[in-house]
Amino acid sequence: VDGRRAIVLAVMRQPDANTVAVVDAVKAALPRLSAQLPASVRLEPMNDRSGSVREALHDVKLTLALTIALVLLVMLLFLRRLMATVIPSLSLPLSLLGTLALMYWLGYSLDNISLLGITLAVGLVVDDAIVVLENIVRHIEQGRTPLEAALAGSKEIAFTIVSISISLVAVFIPIFFMQGVIGLMFHEFAVVVTMAVLVSALVSLTLIPMLAARFLRGDQSHSTLHNPLARSFERAFAAVLAAYQRTLDGALHWRRTTLLVALLTFAGSAWMFMAIPKGFFPIEDTGFIIGSITIITDAGQDVSYQRLAELQQRASDIVRANRHVASVTSSLNNGGGRMFVSLKPRGQRPDMDSVVGELRRELGRVTGLT
């Protein structure tokens, strides 16, 4: 390890165990193990696979927070009322809390797949609440009291909310029955999104009408603009709407050209689908490289172990000298060498592909190594 003789102990988790929990338990046990070792022996953790898991969860949580903030901002800009924005916003945390409760009941955990489903569901769960609220506001603007508008508006829109929710759930039905590794992995994703959609429908048809009847006022006009920011947004929205109308008129006037462009777009999409590179999973930068080194010499299979050790040591020195490498664990057997390379934090180095390419070029200059 980094040029020093060492005994490497790898702790592997069980398939149903949590990586972060296992690493935390191992780290908690290290002081007790170190106290039992001789003074000449040091116990040092070389690689922590939970680091990439923690960073991935942090990124997903940050994306979730940004998604919620953007959803609230869009609602405020279009509804232009603070209370009208707060009411559907309350459906968001309640729907997510209900989804988490169902996840706990089903035995699911928070991981990359479930958090991906929750992040996607943020934009879906608020749709039902906005549809219900807008219909209630329409009745208020027609002169009804908030209570009458809430009862009539929710009754009118109930079937629409149910149909929207069922349509969204139907999209994920094929994932429920998908076979193989992909089906096993994304089954949890489909379940989480489905539960979020169904909970949001229930919240939209119960909580939103109740809050609208209690907090909305009949003297508020949807078109009333109270500040320069709202007026500026309204002018920008009107300009976009006018441009859309002109574009739509042109598309309807040149119908054959529009149809031809649509067909070309479909054909181009099919060609790009076939031409684009495909893979099972995207490459993930975990900051850890496992590399096998095959040592080839002119001496053939009867090359001495000492010669193998010299080449392995030289390769280890080259990798350890790289400016992007934090530590190197090198091992050797009769068939060749093996390295476990830990890279520096992501902010202190380029992406992993660049580092691997650089190491390959450096090791390629050594005769006898592949």
Side-chain angles (χ1 to χ4, degrees):
V1 176
D2 294 334
R4 298 170 297 173
R5 296 180 62 87
I7 297 176
V8 180
L9 175 65
V11 180
M12 309 298 293
R13 68 172 180 86
Q14 294 293 329
D16 58 344
N18 184 280
T19 301
V20 177
V22 171
V23 170
D24 291 341
V26 170
K27 288 183 176 179
L30 289 182
R32 185 175 67 254
L33 296 176
S34 298
Q36 301 175 5
L37 295 176
S40 59
V41 178
R42 289 191 301 171
L43 184 61
E44 298 180 0
M46 295 304 303
N47 179 55
D48 181 0
R49 297 303 294 269
S50 69
S52 59
V53 177
R54 299 178 196 270
E55 292 177 358
L57 292 178
H58 175 268
D59 291 342
V60 173
K61 288 188 290 185
L62 178 61
T63 303
L64 180 61
L66 291 176
T67 303
I68 294 175
L70 289 175
V71 168
L72 297 181
L73 178 61
V74 170
M75 288 194 301
L76 180 61
L77 289 175
F78 279 90
L79 297 178
R80 299 190 298 275
R81 297 185 194 172
L82 180 60
M83 187 53 63
T85 303
V86 171
I87 290 176
S89 300
L90 293 176
S91 68
L92 184 57
L94 289 178
S95 299
L96 295 181
L97 285 174
T99 303
L100 292 175
L102 293 176
M103 288 175 57
Y104 180 80
W105 179 62
L106 293 175
Y108 290 166
S109 63
L110 287 177
D111 50 33
N112 285 338
I113 300 298
S114 60
L115 285 176
L116 175 64
I118 292 176
T119 304
L120 176 64
V122 168
L124 300 176
V125 298
V126 77
D127 289 346
D128 296 340
I130 294 175
V131 171
V132 174
L133 182 67
E134 285 185 337
N135 198 48
I136 294 175
V137 171
R138 180 176 65 85
H139 283 279
I140 292 178
E141 293 176 348
Q142 292 175 354
R144 295 192 179 188
T145 65
L147 179 58
E148 293 174 345
L151 293 175
S154 59
K155 182 179 180 180
E156 288 178 353
I157 209 70
F159 179 78
T160 303
I161 296 300
V162 173
S163 62
I164 292 175
S165 302
I166 294 177
S167 300
L168 291 174
V169 171
V171 174
F172 298 95
I173 289 179
I175 303 181
F176 287 120
F177 301 99
M178 188 178 294
Q179 302 296 322
V181 178
I182 297 294
L184 292 175
M185 292 194 63
F186 286 96
H187 182 271
E188 181 179 358
F189 168 79
V191 171
V192 170
V193 177
T194 298
M195 292 189 301
V197 170
L198 295 179
V199 172
S200 70
L202 178 62
V203 172
S204 300
L205 294 175
T206 55
L207 178 68
I208 300 304
M210 181 192 70
L211 294 177
R214 178 65 179 83
F215 294 105
L216 287 184
R217 293 293 178 263
D219 57 349
Q220 292 177 326
S221 174
H222 188 73
S223 59
T224 301
L225 304 178
H226 301 286
N227 56 74
L229 179 61
R231 290 194 295 269
S232 300
F233 177 78
E234 184 67 19
R235 287 193 295 268
F237 180 77
V240 173
L241 180 60
Y244 170 73
Q245 290 175 341
R246 291 192 298 269
T247 305
L248 182 59
D249 291 339
L252 293 177
H253 180 72
W254 301 95
R255 287 174 292 181
R256 293 184 178 179
T257 304
T258 303
L259 180 59
L260 178 61
V261 172
L263 294 177
L264 292 176
T265 302
F266 293 148
S269 300
W271 177 82
M272 292 182 65
F273 178 80
M274 294 183 292
I276 194 172
K278 300 175 180 62
F280 185 67
F281 276 111
I283 299 176
E284 183 180 6
D285 190 343
T286 61
F288 188 66
I289 302 173
I290 301 177
S292 298
I293 299 178
T294 304
I295 300 178
I296 302 176
T297 64
D298 296 334
Q301 296 184 356
D302 58 347
V303 63
S304 66
Y305 183 83
Q306 183 64 31
R307 173 58 179 167
L308 295 178
E310 291 175 358
L311 290 173
Q312 176 72 10
Q313 184 62 45
R314 186 174 179 183
S316 177
D317 294 338
I318 292 175
V319 175
R320 192 169 69 251
N322 188 280
R323 63 187 184 280
H324 305 308
V325 174
S327 65
V328 179
T329 300
S330 174
S331 62
L332 179 68
N333 54 41
N334 291 330
R338 191 170 181 83
M339 287 188 188
F340 299 86
V341 182
S342 296
L343 303 180
K344 293 180 179 180
R346 185 65 178 86
Q348 303 177 16
R349 59 173 175 82
D351 59 273
M352 182 175 290
D353 287 342
S354 300
V355 177
V356 171
E358 185 175 331
L359 292 176
R360 284 175 175 170
R361 289 191 298 270
E362 296 174 354
L363 293 174
R365 300 190 186 101
V366 180
T367 303
L369 291 181
T370 59

